[in-house]
Amino acid sequence: MTTARADLAARRLLVTGAASGIGRRVVGDLDARGARVLAADLTREALDAASSQDGWSERVEPVAFDVRDPDGWDAAIARGVDLWGGLDVVLNVAGWLRPSEVHEASDDDIHRVFDVNVKGVTFGLRAAARHMIERGAGGHIVNIASLASLAPIPGISLYSASKYAVRALSLAAAAELREHDIAVSVVCPDAVRTPMLDLQLDYPQAALTFTAPRFLEAADVSRVILDRVLPRRPLLVALPRRRALLARFADLFPRAQQLISSLLRRQGLKRQRAMRRGE
């Protein structure tokens, strides 16, 4: 057993968004490596379905709560204390997206994307930090952002803005919590083949999402988290590297980004149509 795998077997973690997508894959991979995991999502039914389909072991404890509820966060942390004496790692994976241009967005869409993606992560980071400071044994908080947090993406502008906030929050909190030996990492993946990607297929506004030469799989992101982020505790990881460099270039040169977006949009629309046809 490698050092990283042995270390994971000793970890106590909380993972949100555990019933689907990246969160679900991370929980399964952690379980396979012997970690103890609080698997969190909005409903117990969704968690039970994921557990049944993936065969989670008794090391995985389902806990249903809404990440938008600070009391829910406190109760989840308390559950980790009751079960195992505390938590070493909290992974904020849960997120929400509905494609639209700004003028099309409903009030509910605006509230929900920022309530889940920004407030939910903030409540989670705060609850985790308070717990880890009180324990006095350090810890690690991992927030999932997106390449859309490195370059603004037209058509999913609200989501992009929310992920910019997650990245800024993570970088600032990392500096604040360093003296307590609490690391904060932010992971920024490109488009991942998950239910969140599927729901964008019918929205031409989300065409730029479909310009990646290859979609990441949830397993790709989980592998980076388990093999790189948790052992090394980096400040920021963006993947894949080439697309991350393009995103950073677009962020540095906004007018160039507008031109690039116009050129790529046609490519994205074409790929959307092909995927809807099952090609």
Side-chain angles (χ1 to χ4, degrees), residues 3 17 20 35 40 67 87 92 102 110 133 144 168 176 190-191 194 204 218 225 229 236 238 242 247 256 268 278:
T3 302
S20 68
V67 296
L87 294 169
N92 285 299
V102 172
I110 293 171
I133 290 171
I144 303 300
E176 295 171 353
D190 200 1
T194 66
I225 291 171
V229 175
L236 185 150
R242 184 175 178 181

mmCIF file of all heavy atoms in Angstrom, residues 3 17 20 35 40 67 87 92 102 110 133 144 168 176 190-191 194 204 218 225 229 236 238 242 247 256 268 278:
data_model
loop_
_atom_site.group_PDB
_atom_site.id
_atom_site.type_symbol
_atom_site.label_atom_id
_atom_site.label_comp_id
_atom_site.label_asym_id
_atom_site.label_seq_id
_atom_site.Cartn_x
_atom_site.Cartn_y
_atom_site.Cartn_z
ATOM 1 N N THR A 3 1.990 5.267 0.491
ATOM 2 C CA THR A 3 1.806 6.171 1.623
ATOM 3 C C THR A 3 0.500 6.924 1.507
ATOM 4 O O THR A 3 -0.236 7.086 2.483
ATOM 5 C CB THR A 3 2.988 7.152 1.705
ATOM 6 O OG1 THR A 3 4.197 6.408 1.838
ATOM 7 C CG2 THR A 3 2.812 8.093 2.873
ATOM 8 N N GLY A 17 -22.702 16.743 -2.134
ATOM 9 C CA GLY A 17 -23.008 16.351 -3.501
ATOM 10 C C GLY A 17 -22.715 14.888 -3.742
ATOM 11 O O GLY A 17 -22.389 14.474 -4.850
ATOM 12 N N SER A 20 -24.487 12.078 -6.608
ATOM 13 C CA SER A 20 -24.328 12.056 -8.061
ATOM 14 C C SER A 20 -23.011 12.708 -8.460
ATOM 15 O O SER A 20 -22.358 13.380 -7.654
ATOM 16 C CB SER A 20 -25.495 12.778 -8.753
ATOM 17 O OG SER A 20 -25.457 14.160 -8.474
ATOM 18 N N ALA A 35 -11.196 4.848 3.654
ATOM 19 C CA ALA A 35 -11.499 6.059 4.428
ATOM 20 C C ALA A 35 -12.885 5.959 5.055
ATOM 21 O O ALA A 35 -13.754 5.211 4.593
ATOM 22 C CB ALA A 35 -11.415 7.285 3.525
ATOM 23 N N ALA A 40 -22.844 13.300 2.038
ATOM 24 C CA ALA A 40 -23.933 14.251 2.248
ATOM 25 C C ALA A 40 -24.599 14.640 0.941
ATOM 26 O O ALA A 40 -23.938 14.863 -0.073
ATOM 27 C CB ALA A 40 -23.400 15.505 2.950
ATOM 28 N N VAL A 67 -27.064 22.182 1.911
ATOM 29 C CA VAL A 67 -25.845 22.960 2.125
ATOM 30 C C VAL A 67 -26.140 24.443 2.322
ATOM 31 O O VAL A 67 -25.287 25.187 2.826
ATOM 32 C CB VAL A 67 -24.841 22.785 0.965
ATOM 33 C CG1 VAL A 67 -24.366 21.343 0.879
ATOM 34 C CG2 VAL A 67 -25.415 23.270 -0.359
ATOM 35 N N LEU A 87 -13.537 15.443 12.177
ATOM 36 C CA LEU A 87 -13.332 15.337 10.737
ATOM 37 C C LEU A 87 -11.986 15.943 10.371
ATOM 38 O O LEU A 87 -11.609 16.991 10.893
ATOM 39 C CB LEU A 87 -14.446 16.062 9.979
ATOM 40 C CG LEU A 87 -15.854 15.469 10.107
ATOM 41 C CD1 LEU A 87 -16.889 16.435 9.536
ATOM 42 C CD2 LEU A 87 -15.944 14.122 9.400
ATOM 43 N N ASN A 92 -16.299 20.362 -0.373
ATOM 44 C CA ASN A 92 -17.497 21.047 -0.856
ATOM 45 C C ASN A 92 -17.631 20.788 -2.351
ATOM 46 O O ASN A 92 -17.017 21.479 -3.171
ATOM 47 C CB ASN A 92 -17.382 22.547 -0.593
ATOM 48 C CG ASN A 92 -17.605 22.898 0.862
ATOM 49 O OD1 ASN A 92 -18.669 22.654 1.416
ATOM 50 N ND2 ASN A 92 -16.587 23.460 1.487
ATOM 51 N N VAL A 102 -27.878 36.519 -18.832
ATOM 52 C CA VAL A 102 -28.298 37.240 -17.628
ATOM 53 C C VAL A 102 -29.720 37.765 -17.748
ATOM 54 O O VAL A 102 -30.527 37.645 -16.810
ATOM 55 C CB VAL A 102 -27.321 38.403 -17.328
ATOM 56 C CG1 VAL A 102 -27.854 39.278 -16.210
ATOM 57 C CG2 VAL A 102 -25.947 37.863 -16.951
ATOM 58 N N ILE A 110 -31.357 32.995 -10.018
ATOM 59 C CA ILE A 110 -30.309 33.829 -9.431
ATOM 60 C C ILE A 110 -30.102 33.465 -7.967
ATOM 61 O O ILE A 110 -28.959 33.279 -7.507
ATOM 62 C CB ILE A 110 -30.659 35.317 -9.582
ATOM 63 C CG1 ILE A 110 -30.614 35.715 -11.068
ATOM 64 C CG2 ILE A 110 -29.690 36.194 -8.776
ATOM 65 C CD1 ILE A 110 -31.157 37.093 -11.352
ATOM 66 N N ILE A 133 -10.380 24.373 13.984
ATOM 67 C CA ILE A 133 -9.679 25.262 14.924
ATOM 68 C C ILE A 133 -9.918 24.813 16.354
ATOM 69 O O ILE A 133 -8.997 24.774 17.183
ATOM 70 C CB ILE A 133 -10.130 26.720 14.718
ATOM 71 C CG1 ILE A 133 -9.607 27.256 13.375
ATOM 72 C CG2 ILE A 133 -9.645 27.609 15.861
ATOM 73 C CD1 ILE A 133 -10.181 28.602 12.986
ATOM 74 N N ILE A 144 -14.745 22.681 -4.731
ATOM 75 C CA ILE A 144 -14.777 22.442 -6.173
ATOM 76 C C ILE A 144 -15.316 23.689 -6.864
ATOM 77 O O ILE A 144 -16.457 24.105 -6.626
ATOM 78 C CB ILE A 144 -15.652 21.226 -6.526
ATOM 79 C CG1 ILE A 144 -15.158 19.978 -5.783
ATOM 80 C CG2 ILE A 144 -15.627 20.995 -8.045
ATOM 81 C CD1 ILE A 144 -13.726 19.586 -6.094
ATOM 82 N N ALA A 168 -12.188 32.877 -5.219
ATOM 83 C CA ALA A 168 -11.706 33.991 -4.398
ATOM 84 C C ALA A 168 -11.818 33.667 -2.914
ATOM 85 O O ALA A 168 -10.895 33.931 -2.125
ATOM 86 C CB ALA A 168 -12.499 35.260 -4.728
ATOM 87 N N GLU A 176 -6.048 33.036 5.580
ATOM 88 C CA GLU A 176 -6.555 33.267 6.940
ATOM 89 C C GLU A 176 -6.339 32.059 7.844
ATOM 90 O O GLU A 176 -6.078 32.214 9.045
ATOM 91 C CB GLU A 176 -8.049 33.588 6.874
ATOM 92 C CG GLU A 176 -8.374 34.889 6.165
ATOM 93 C CD GLU A 176 -9.855 35.076 5.915
ATOM 94 O OE1 GLU A 176 -10.637 34.132 6.164
ATOM 95 O OE2 GLU A 176 -10.236 36.172 5.460
ATOM 96 N N ASP A 190 -12.456 21.379 -15.988
ATOM 97 C CA ASP A 190 -13.211 21.695 -17.199
ATOM 98 C C ASP A 190 -14.521 20.893 -17.164
ATOM 99 O O ASP A 190 -14.828 20.219 -16.165
ATOM 100 C CB ASP A 190 -12.365 21.326 -18.416
ATOM 101 C CG ASP A 190 -12.822 22.030 -19.694
ATOM 102 O OD1 ASP A 190 -13.771 22.819 -19.638
ATOM 103 O OD2 ASP A 190 -12.201 21.790 -20.741
ATOM 104 N N ALA A 191 -15.288 20.937 -18.238
ATOM 105 C CA ALA A 191 -16.567 20.226 -18.297
ATOM 106 C C ALA A 191 -16.373 18.746 -17.986
ATOM 107 O O ALA A 191 -15.465 18.099 -18.509
ATOM 108 C CB ALA A 191 -17.191 20.394 -19.671
ATOM 109 N N THR A 194 -21.160 14.457 -16.367
ATOM 110 C CA THR A 194 -22.020 14.202 -15.219
ATOM 111 C C THR A 194 -23.437 14.633 -15.577
ATOM 112 O O THR A 194 -23.669 15.218 -16.648
ATOM 113 C CB THR A 194 -21.556 15.016 -13.991
ATOM 114 O OG1 THR A 194 -21.742 16.414 -14.272
ATOM 115 C CG2 THR A 194 -20.114 14.737 -13.632
ATOM 116 N N PRO A 204 -28.844 26.165 -26.038
ATOM 117 C CA PRO A 204 -27.813 26.733 -26.922
ATOM 118 C C PRO A 204 -26.963 27.788 -26.216
ATOM 119 O O PRO A 204 -25.827 28.038 -26.631
ATOM 120 C CB PRO A 204 -28.625 27.335 -28.070
ATOM 121 C CG PRO A 204 -30.019 27.464 -27.565
ATOM 122 C CD PRO A 204 -30.203 26.373 -26.568
ATOM 123 N N ALA A 218 -15.872 11.900 -14.191
ATOM 124 C CA ALA A 218 -15.825 12.080 -12.733
ATOM 125 C C ALA A 218 -14.627 11.359 -12.139
ATOM 126 O O ALA A 218 -14.019 11.834 -11.171
ATOM 127 C CB ALA A 218 -17.127 11.577 -12.105
ATOM 128 N N ILE A 225 -8.135 14.540 -7.001
ATOM 129 C CA ILE A 225 -8.402 14.883 -5.600
ATOM 130 C C ILE A 225 -7.702 13.912 -4.655
ATOM 131 O O ILE A 225 -7.016 14.316 -3.703
ATOM 132 C CB ILE A 225 -9.916 14.907 -5.332
ATOM 133 C CG1 ILE A 225 -10.566 16.087 -6.061
ATOM 134 C CG2 ILE A 225 -10.202 14.999 -3.834
ATOM 135 C CD1 ILE A 225 -12.078 16.082 -6.034
ATOM 136 N N VAL A 229 -4.482 16.239 -4.558
ATOM 137 C CA VAL A 229 -4.951 17.318 -3.681
ATOM 138 C C VAL A 229 -4.877 16.921 -2.211
ATOM 139 O O VAL A 229 -4.342 17.673 -1.382
ATOM 140 C CB VAL A 229 -6.380 17.740 -4.069
ATOM 141 C CG1 VAL A 229 -6.917 18.786 -3.090
ATOM 142 C CG2 VAL A 229 -6.399 18.295 -5.493
ATOM 143 N N LEU A 236 -4.319 25.635 -5.509
ATOM 144 C CA LEU A 236 -5.243 25.599 -6.642
ATOM 145 C C LEU A 236 -4.777 24.559 -7.647
ATOM 146 O O LEU A 236 -3.581 24.476 -7.948
ATOM 147 C CB LEU A 236 -5.332 26.980 -7.308
ATOM 148 C CG LEU A 236 -6.340 27.164 -8.444
ATOM 149 C CD1 LEU A 236 -6.838 28.608 -8.485
ATOM 150 C CD2 LEU A 236 -5.750 26.810 -9.822
ATOM 151 N N ALA A 238 -6.050 23.220 -11.541
ATOM 152 C CA ALA A 238 -6.956 23.370 -12.680
ATOM 153 C C ALA A 238 -6.640 22.278 -13.687
ATOM 154 O O ALA A 238 -5.468 21.967 -13.933
ATOM 155 C CB ALA A 238 -6.804 24.744 -13.314
ATOM 156 N N ARG A 242 -3.915 22.231 -20.506
ATOM 157 C CA ARG A 242 -3.967 23.075 -21.694
ATOM 158 C C ARG A 242 -5.192 23.986 -21.678
ATOM 159 O O ARG A 242 -5.098 25.168 -21.996
ATOM 160 C CB ARG A 242 -3.968 22.193 -22.943
ATOM 161 C CG ARG A 242 -3.929 22.974 -24.245
ATOM 162 C CD ARG A 242 -3.808 22.044 -25.439
ATOM 163 N NE ARG A 242 -3.811 22.785 -26.688
ATOM 164 C CZ ARG A 242 -3.735 22.214 -27.875
ATOM 165 N NH1 ARG A 242 -3.653 20.896 -27.978
ATOM 166 N NH2 ARG A 242 -3.744 22.952 -28.975
ATOM 167 N N ALA A 247 -7.889 29.328 -20.395
ATOM 168 C CA ALA A 247 -8.789 30.087 -19.527
ATOM 169 C C ALA A 247 -8.071 31.260 -18.874
ATOM 170 O O ALA A 247 -8.604 32.372 -18.786
ATOM 171 C CB ALA A 247 -9.388 29.169 -18.462
ATOM 172 N N ALA A 256 -9.926 39.771 -26.044
ATOM 173 C CA ALA A 256 -9.544 38.578 -26.802
ATOM 174 C C ALA A 256 -10.475 37.420 -26.458
ATOM 175 O O ALA A 256 -10.844 36.622 -27.326
ATOM 176 C CB ALA A 256 -8.100 38.204 -26.512
ATOM 177 N N GLY A 268 -19.175 24.692 -30.503
ATOM 178 C CA GLY A 268 -19.948 24.126 -29.402
ATOM 179 C C GLY A 268 -21.369 23.768 -29.804
ATOM 180 O O GLY A 268 -21.899 22.718 -29.412
ATOM 181 N N GLY A 278 -27.109 11.615 -30.346
ATOM 182 C CA GLY A 278 -26.466 10.395 -29.875
ATOM 183 C C GLY A 278 -25.198 10.034 -30.596
ATOM 184 O O GLY A 278 -24.727 8.889 -30.520
#
